[in-house]
Amino acid sequence: MPNFCAAPNCTRKSTQSDLAFFRFPRDPERCRIWVENCRRADLEAKTSDQLNKHYRLCAKHFDPAMVCKTSPYRTVLKDTAIPTIFDLTIHLRYPPTRHRKRIKELTEEDLQKIKERGSAISIDQLHAKKVAAMEDSTSANEDEPQMSTEEKTLREYLKSLFEILVLLGKRNIPLVADKATDAEHLSNNLQALIEYRINAGDEALKKRFERTAVNTEYLSATQQSQLLDVCENTVREEMLMEVRESRFFSLVTGDLVTFGEVKHLPLFLRFVNQQNVLREEFLDFVPFDSDEFSLVDKLEALLTERFGLSMEDCRGQAHKATGTNTNKMKAVAVLLMEKYSQTLHMPCSHIALNIHLSNNLPYPNVQIVMETLNSFRSFFKNPLTHNELQKAISNHFQKNEEKGAALQEACSSEWTKQHSVFDLLLDLLPPLLLCMDNIRESGHFTDAVRSDAYTIAEMLSDFEFIVTTVILKNVLTFTRAFGRNLQGETLDVFFAVNSLTAVLHSLNEVNDNIEVYHEFWYEEAVAVANVMEVPTTVPRLFLRQQRAANESEVNVEAYYKEYVTVPVIHGVIQEVEDMFSEINLKALKCLSLVPAVMGQMKFNTTEENYADVYSSDLPNPETLPAELHCWRIKWKHRGKEVRLPTTIQETLQLPDVKFFPNVNAFLKMLSTLPVLKLDGKEGDTASERLQAYFDGVPPKQWNKSLAMLSVNTQVNYDLDVMVDKYCRLYPEDEQEAEAEAEMEAEAEAEMEAEAEAEAEAEAEAETEAEAEAETEKEAKDTAEEDAMKE
């Protein structure tokens, strides 16, 4: 039967957590203090014996210094431990229920006493109760057996192995270094680290493997898989506990990854933890080998059945997809919104809006441009190819050195991910083609590199590619500033949202005057093609279709207007309207709750008009107008020395934001929206860490479990928990290890007995030899005496 935590607003139970659960003490004085700190009015009438028998508190409510882990099996409290860590406000977000633990309302003076009590109670005050407490008040793990020496040895050995695996994951080191062609001669990094730890004096590993032949494998593939699974699941469960505590989250998916010839979709969760810090962590890989309906079912099953989350608490979704997968992920987003209306579909904060828009355009010519851009990232990662591009830029812009230098500097960064990527691409088209030709003619590159250069050159020398690039550059000029602001600070995002009408107006004006705009854009494309010596033709397939239909000569400009310009402008308008629908805009306009935005708007904001987006999630929706009025007054009449917080995260860190429960709930839900940027260093998002793992490890050596350890560096986990979990999941391995230990002990005893017997035999032989030597000496002496007498 599971143990449930008696603390208010705590839903943990022993079957879903690795936390320790502790009984209420039988000592009446200590038990009274525990009840007072819990603020459970319904427990005050119960005796200490009743509380000790039927009620528990989990370890989360005690200062870590009060909890002692005496072994992997046993966790106890110090004799003076008092629970002091409780969340007494989270219940305000939820409607009252019949089964909710009732919280006793206290005054500010009572709350202060509770905070001080943890340090006020001295050891002397409770020392008199110590004997009775030791007899009656034990932890929830009081019946756990004491460990034998063999068990302790085994757990130390497992802990050393987990330390090595965690190191491999954090350092992006594959289990096997694939540098040899013969599989039998692959360098085993795990084996090498174990040997290093043994040589460095790791007693647990040394005892385990000291008599193992150095050319044998320390761990079988099955054991490695089991250990890695435990690592992965422990890290994931720690992260999921934080998500469950925060309740609201958003889904973010990344680029497809191929494991074992099966495509997988990386899945991330964005949430605000209990410290009000916005986090985005990697969750798992989802198989991508089915249609959109099956994929939605897989996502739901994964999140709800396996990971214990509720899709009703999902507040946003963002999907990064390219090529033929774009339509599939858009369909997934629509299906999720049909089931869960508050799962708002938005662009992802760490992808430039113009790139996101282009990826979502379902036209083959646009997708070819985007795939070519993606190929540049891996192609120019090689320093030799990058140097060739720098030379080509310098040669092409000999007469305009300033522009050449600017382009060289731009290409030294992640230029394929910038908001102005199509402007850069258009300027780089002639140097890029020159670079590819030089690589193909050079003998300093491998056949594979020259083959890739040939493929890219074929794309670049296609007039349809040039026209499409020019059209994308000009159409997306109207969304470039808008997209850049979306990735800016909170104030920038708020004003970007309010400028959307102007952006759509500009795009519609282009659409209404498409004849004029297309003429200018086509002339620009022809000029670029002339510089690159590319003929201005229509695609070969279209020409063949025209001949088959006995059509007259094709007008090249009219063709590209009908099949490129018009579809692109229509597609961009539709995508912008879909991604920034009315409900999405309402949610983002709630950013006016951030004090800096309120100040910029002269405190004349109207959040009440947008509150219906999250009205069901607010703790006290009926008091929202009055609370918002107080929130505005608070900041409007602040002191001159008080600075207005500029971001959601800064606002959530304010100590008095908890006195505005509706505002607090609004800000936390807004934080999870994928369009808002994450705080922290650039390049430090979970998706970027995952990409760094894939870039740093050869594809054949990719490992899902090590990827989890590499990406979720902010997740705290305990090696002892991993050891406990492994022993629970694989008890037969523990038994085998114990049997091996017994056999080794017996073998050692036999060897010692044999050594003693050999020593005794040697001693007897020495004694006999000495006796024989004495006898021989006596005989010799007698013979000499006899000879002298004669």
Side-chain angles (χ1 to χ4, degrees), residues 233-249:
N233 292 330
T234 302
V235 173
R236 182 188 291 114
E237 182 57 32
E238 287 294 328
M239 183 261 290
L240 285 171
M241 285 177 62
E242 293 189 82
V243 178
R244 295 186 196 109
E245 289 173 349
S246 64
R247 183 184 172 189
F248 298 110
F249 63 92

Side-chain angles (χ1 to χ4, degrees), residues 105-153:
E105 297 299 331
L106 300 179
T107 65
E108 287 295 325
E109 183 179 354
D110 294 330
L111 291 174
Q112 186 62 30
K113 287 181 180 179
I114 290 174
K115 291 179 182 178
E116 295 173 353
R117 184 174 289 135
S119 57
I121 297 178
S122 65
I123 295 177
D124 293 337
Q125 289 174 307
L126 295 172
H127 184 70
K129 312 290 184 179
K130 182 176 180 180
V131 176
M134 289 179 64
E135 293 177 355
D136 301 322
S137 177
T138 61
S139 69
N141 300 317
E142 61 182 352
D143 296 327
E144 291 175 351
Q146 293 294 321
M147 289 193 302
S148 64
T149 304
E150 291 77 10
E151 288 175 325
K152 290 180 180 179
T153 302

Side-chain angles (χ1 to χ4, degrees), residues 70 114 134 187 211 317 441 498 506 527 540 565 587 661 726 755:
T70 59
I114 290 174
M134 289 179 64
S187 175
R211 285 189 298 275
Q317 56 175 320
E441 296 171 358
N498 286 278
S506 299
R540 180 182 57 81
T565 303
Y726 184 88

Side-chain angles (χ1 to χ4, degrees), residues 156 160 163-164 192-208 210:
E156 288 299 321
S160 294
E163 284 180 344
I164 292 172
L193 276 174
I194 292 176
E195 291 178 359
Y196 174 80
R197 289 286 293 263
I198 292 173
N199 295 331
D202 190 312
E203 292 298 328
L205 293 176
K206 188 175 181 180
K207 288 179 182 178
R208 182 78 171 186
E210 63 182 348

Side-chain angles (χ1 to χ4, degrees), residues 382-668:
N382 184 337
L384 294 177
T385 55
H386 184 265
N387 289 338
E388 284 295 328
L389 177 58
Q390 296 287 321
K391 292 177 184 177
I393 293 173
S394 179
N395 291 336
H396 182 76
F397 290 99
Q398 288 180 354
K399 297 181 179 180
N400 191 347
E401 294 182 359
E402 185 177 348
K403 185 172 184 180
L407 287 174
Q408 284 179 326
E409 184 178 356
C411 289
S412 62
S413 61
E414 294 282 351
W415 67 275
T416 59
K417 297 181 179 180
Q418 296 181 18
H419 298 277
S420 57
V421 59
F422 298 108
D423 299 75
L424 286 171
L425 177 59
L426 197 59
D427 288 335
L428 286 171
L429 280 180
L432 279 169
L433 186 57
L434 177 61
C435 173
M436 299 304 152
D437 290 342
N438 292 340
I439 291 174
R440 289 165 59 191
E441 296 171 358
S442 173
H444 301 296
F445 296 93
T446 63
D447 292 340
V449 173
R450 287 202 296 268
S451 176
D452 291 340
Y454 176 80
T455 303
I456 294 174
E458 289 296 301
M459 295 293 183
L460 298 176
S461 58
D462 182 10
F463 185 63
E464 185 177 23
F465 183 96
I466 297 172
V467 173
T468 304
T469 302
V470 171
I471 302 304
L472 286 172
K473 187 262 298 189
N474 286 287
V475 172
L476 296 175
T477 298
F478 299 100
T479 58
R480 187 169 58 199
F482 174 71
R484 187 179 288 112
N485 287 334
L486 279 180
Q487 290 186 332
E489 298 300 329
T490 306
L491 193 61
D492 299 325
V493 178
F494 179 77
F495 286 116
V497 170
N498 286 278
S499 71
L500 180 64
T501 303
V503 173
L504 287 171
H505 176 77
S506 299
L507 290 171
N508 283 307
E509 183 183 358
V510 172
N511 185 50
D512 294 339
N513 299 279
I514 198 66
E515 296 283 350
V516 177
Y517 282 98
H518 174 72
E519 183 178 350
F520 285 108
W521 296 345
Y522 180 76
E523 289 176 0
E524 184 180 359
V526 171
V528 175
N530 290 337
V531 173
M532 299 172 64
E533 299 179 345
V534 174
T536 55
T537 60
V538 298
R540 180 182 57 81
L541 180 60
F542 182 77
L543 282 175
R544 193 176 70 178
Q545 292 172 347
Q546 293 296 101
R547 294 193 191 99
N550 294 321
E551 295 287 340
S552 58
E553 186 176 348
V554 178
N555 185 312
V556 180
E557 182 179 348
Y559 167 82
Y560 285 110
K561 173 193 167 187
E562 181 179 354
Y563 292 101
V564 180
T565 303
V566 172
V568 167
I569 188 66
H570 288 176
V572 169
I573 292 173
Q574 188 61 52
E575 284 298 320
V576 172
E577 290 177 346
D578 290 344
M579 282 190 286
F580 300 97
S581 61
E582 182 180 356
I583 187 172
N584 289 13
L585 291 177
K586 274 188 173 182
L588 291 173
K589 285 181 179 179
C590 292
L591 291 172
S592 58
L593 288 170
V594 176
V597 180
M598 295 168 59
Q600 194 70 25
M601 300 295 292
K602 306 299 182 185
F603 300 97
N604 187 26
T605 55
T606 55
E607 295 84 5
E608 298 90 337
N609 298 335
Y610 320 124
D612 58 324
V613 179
Y614 298 121
S615 58
S616 60
D617 299 321
L618 298 179
N620 302 302
E622 66 280 355
T623 64
L624 179 63
E627 184 178 319
L628 290 177
H629 176 72
C630 294
W631 181 250
R632 285 190 284 266
I633 294 299
K634 166 184 168 60
W635 295 107
K636 185 176 182 179
H637 298 291
R638 71 191 186 284
K640 292 182 179 180
E641 70 284 355
V642 178
R643 186 182 67 87
L644 292 175
T646 58
T647 67
I648 295 180
Q649 297 306 306
E650 192 178 349
T651 308
L652 284 173
Q653 295 300 325
L654 296 172
D656 55 351
V657 73
K658 61 186 178 182
F659 298 115
F660 299 87
N662 289 314
V663 172
N664 193 29
F666 253 127
L667 293 175
K668 284 187 175 182

Side-chain angles (χ1 to χ4, degrees), residues 229-484:
D229 285 343
V230 170
C231 281
E232 177 185 350
N233 292 330
T234 302
V235 173
R236 182 188 291 114
E237 182 57 32
E238 287 294 328
M239 183 261 290
L240 285 171
M241 285 177 62
E242 293 189 82
V243 178
R244 295 186 196 109
E245 289 173 349
S246 64
R247 183 184 172 189
F248 298 110
F249 63 92
S250 289
L251 301 176
V252 180
T253 61
D255 288 324
L256 291 181
V257 182
T258 302
F259 284 106
E261 299 183 357
V262 177
K263 291 182 178 179
H264 289 78
L265 188 70
L267 182 62
F268 304 86
L269 293 183
R270 178 182 282 217
F271 61 96
V272 178
N273 64 14
Q274 291 297 300
Q275 289 72 43
N276 289 331
V277 176
L278 178 60
R279 298 261 298 278
E280 185 177 296
E281 299 292 350
F282 172 58
L283 180 64
D284 204 355
F285 293 101
V286 184
F288 197 72
D289 55 353
S290 53
D291 59 34
E292 54 268 25
F293 295 97
S294 300
L295 184 57
V296 169
D297 292 338
K298 284 181 182 179
L299 284 171
E300 286 186 282
L302 187 73
L303 291 166
T304 58
E305 297 174 14
R306 183 179 172 189
F307 297 141
L309 302 177
S310 173
M311 285 300 296
E312 298 292 343
D313 295 331
C314 183
R315 290 294 170 267
Q317 56 175 320
H319 306 289
K320 182 182 178 182
T322 56
T324 56
N325 303 318
T326 302
N327 289 336
K328 186 174 180 178
M329 293 311 300
K330 287 172 67 176
V332 167
V334 171
L335 290 172
L336 285 174
M337 284 198 69
E338 287 177 353
K339 287 188 174 184
Y340 311 101
S341 59
Q342 289 187 304
T343 309
L344 305 182
H345 182 209
M346 293 184 172
C348 190
S349 62
H350 36 79
I351 304 175
L353 180 64
N354 281 354
I355 294 177
H356 189 81
L357 290 170
S358 303
N359 282 334
N360 284 355
L361 296 178
Y363 310 123
N365 54 333
V366 175
Q367 294 306 315
I368 288 173
V369 173
M370 301 311 297
E371 288 172 5
T372 305
L373 274 174
N374 290 333
S375 68
F376 288 154
R377 182 176 182 274
S378 57
F379 186 81
F380 290 114
K381 189 167 62 174
N382 184 337
L384 294 177
T385 55
H386 184 265
N387 289 338
E388 284 295 328
L389 177 58
Q390 296 287 321
K391 292 177 184 177
I393 293 173
S394 179
N395 291 336
H396 182 76
F397 290 99
Q398 288 180 354
K399 297 181 179 180
N400 191 347
E401 294 182 359
E402 185 177 348
K403 185 172 184 180
L407 287 174
Q408 284 179 326
E409 184 178 356
C411 289
S412 62
S413 61
E414 294 282 351
W415 67 275
T416 59
K417 297 181 179 180
Q418 296 181 18
H419 298 277
S420 57
V421 59
F422 298 108
D423 299 75
L424 286 171
L425 177 59
L426 197 59
D427 288 335
L428 286 171
L429 280 180
L432 279 169
L433 186 57
L434 177 61
C435 173
M436 299 304 152
D437 290 342
N438 292 340
I439 291 174
R440 289 165 59 191
E441 296 171 358
S442 173
H444 301 296
F445 296 93
T446 63
D447 292 340
V449 173
R450 287 202 296 268
S451 176
D452 291 340
Y454 176 80
T455 303
I456 294 174
E458 289 296 301
M459 295 293 183
L460 298 176
S461 58
D462 182 10
F463 185 63
E464 185 177 23
F465 183 96
I466 297 172
V467 173
T468 304
T469 302
V470 171
I471 302 304
L472 286 172
K473 187 262 298 189
N474 286 287
V475 172
L476 296 175
T477 298
F478 299 100
T479 58
R480 187 169 58 199
F482 174 71
R484 187 179 288 112

